Amino acid sequence: MNMSEFSNVVELSSYTLRYYEKIGLLKHVQRNSSGHRVYSNKDIDWVSFIKRLKDTGMRLEEIKKYASLRDLGAQTVSDRQELLEKHREHLVEHIREQNEHLQALDVKIGLYKSRKVA
Amino acid sequence: MNMSEFSNVVELSSYTLRYYEKIGLLKHVQRNSSGHRVYSNKDIDWVSFIKRLKDTGMRLEEIKKYASLRDLGAQTVSDRQELLEKHREHLVEHIREQNEHLQALDVKIGLYKSRKVA
DNA sequence: GCTTGACTTAGAGTTAGCTCTAACTTGTAA
DNA sequence: TTACAAGTTAGAGCTAACTCTAAGTCAAGC
């Protein structure tokens, strides 16, 4: 899979994909004889997971930490598990807060609906 | 209420509060005889609402739009209601996505727990 | 063979939202 | 009354995460 195809599949610009490689988030991307990148299905999986972590508020630096652990192989399994479990707790708290904000917003909109707001 | 007191109450640095004023998000802040800012309870309410909108992903530019409508008075009530209702839809969608991410994360963590991940 | 367009790199530029610095003025406690 | 903490401004600097530019290489179609 070449750059434009991969870019379409994962819905990230070629700029972003090269940037992810530059900062070490995306490693071991294969190249063809003329130096062009060749992406695999594993790359799709990994970039999709990066996007998920990013969308749930994880910094690229932290995602890089996870990536580095992955690179170190089987002996980092529990470290990675711990990292994901901590992130899970952040996510649960975030969802809780957002629901709280939603309730408050509904109260505010209720005031507008009943014209109790000038 | 002076700057340091207000800063403590709303949990924003004095830098941030002056910045919000500079970009027009926070208007009509009173001053005492020597030019120092004097904040009111209404300022607490407004800054708290700014924080809520910001925490739910609204850009400061968009919050400024809401603020400007508010400044124009009663004839903008339905515009403001519409703006908040649109934001509510974004928030609902965001919460939906975050719950989806949580489920996927739980699947991943489950793999780690059962050591199905190397 | 020639053009066109996708690829490559290094490095510069952009954006949002702060965060800080410098230089100065004012308020307060000893 | 003197120190020093806290306030003021304009404007520079910072960080994360891109986004783009310039200059060059290479493959495919006419």
Side-chain angles (χ1 to χ4, degrees):
Chain A
M1 201 180 324
N2 64 14
M3 176 55 96
S4 68
E5 213 180 326
F6 188 66
S7 172
N8 277 326
V9 170
V10 300
E11 294 182 289
L12 289 176
S13 74
S14 55
Y15 298 137
T16 301
L17 289 168
R18 287 191 207 100
Y19 169 71
Y20 281 2
E21 245 184 281
K22 183 153 58 180
I23 65 169
L25 201 52
L26 198 50
K27 284 174 184 167
H28 324 298
V29 175
Q30 295 303 113
R31 302 290 180 125
N32 66 16
S33 55
S34 53
H36 291 197
R37 287 168 182 82
V38 177
Y39 293 98
S40 69
N41 287 337
K42 282 199 172 179
D43 293 323
I44 295 180
D45 293 346
W46 174 232
V47 169
S48 302
F49 193 56
I50 289 175
K51 286 184 71 181
R52 198 184 288 288
L53 292 177
K54 198 178 81 68
D55 286 355
T56 49
M58 194 184 281
R59 292 278 167 84
L60 299 189
E61 265 307 312
E62 184 80 357
I63 303 177
K64 251 180 78 174
K65 240 182 255 174
Y66 179 84
S68 306
L69 290 175
R70 231 175 51 130
D71 274 356
L72 291 175
Q75 81 243 38
T76 67
V77 163
S78 56
D79 288 345
R80 279 179 273 159
Q81 183 181 334
E82 196 189 337
L83 195 156
L84 291 186
E85 283 177 348
K86 273 188 186 149
H87 184 59
R88 184 192 189 279
E89 291 320 301
H90 286 137
L91 180 51
V92 166
E93 172 63 9
H94 174 71
I95 292 171
R96 197 194 58 69
E97 283 170 6
Q98 296 294 301
N99 275 306
E100 210 171 279
H101 287 318
L102 178 59
Q103 278 188 38
L105 199 55
D106 280 340
V107 169
K108 191 89 171 181
I109 290 171
L111 293 178
Y112 274 104
K113 279 188 175 153
S114 60
R115 300 282 145 166
K116 277 173 191 149
V117 157
Chain B
M1 201 178 326
N2 65 14
M3 176 54 94
S4 67
E5 213 179 329
F6 188 66
S7 172
N8 279 325
V9 171
V10 300
E11 295 180 286
L12 287 177
S13 75
S14 55
Y15 298 137
T16 302
L17 289 168
R18 288 191 206 100
Y19 170 70
Y20 281 2
E21 244 184 283
K22 183 152 60 179
I23 66 169
L25 201 52
L26 198 49
K27 284 175 185 166
H28 323 300
V29 175
Q30 295 302 114
R31 300 289 181 126
N32 66 16
S33 54
S34 54
H36 289 197
R37 287 169 182 80
V38 177
Y39 292 99
S40 70
N41 287 337
K42 282 199 171 180
D43 292 323
I44 295 180
D45 292 346
W46 174 230
V47 169
S48 302
F49 193 56
I50 288 176
K51 285 185 72 182
R52 198 184 287 290
L53 293 177
K54 198 177 80 69
D55 287 354
T56 49
M58 193 184 280
R59 292 279 166 84
L60 298 188
E61 264 308 311
E62 184 80 358
I63 303 178
K64 253 180 78 175
K65 239 183 253 173
Y66 179 82
S68 306
L69 289 174
R70 233 174 50 128
D71 274 354
L72 292 175
Q75 83 242 37
T76 67
V77 163
S78 57
D79 288 344
R80 278 179 275 158
Q81 183 181 335
E82 197 189 336
L83 194 155
L84 291 186
E85 282 176 349
K86 273 188 186 151
H87 185 58
R88 182 192 190 280
E89 290 320 302
H90 286 138
L91 181 52
V92 167
E93 172 62 8
H94 175 69
I95 291 172
R96 198 194 58 69
E97 283 170 6
Q98 296 293 302
N99 275 307
E100 210 171 279
H101 287 317
L102 178 59
Q103 277 187 42
L105 199 54
D106 280 340
V107 169
K108 191 88 170 182
I109 290 172
L111 292 179
Y112 274 103
K113 279 186 175 154
S114 60
R115 303 282 147 163
K116 276 174 188 146
V117 156

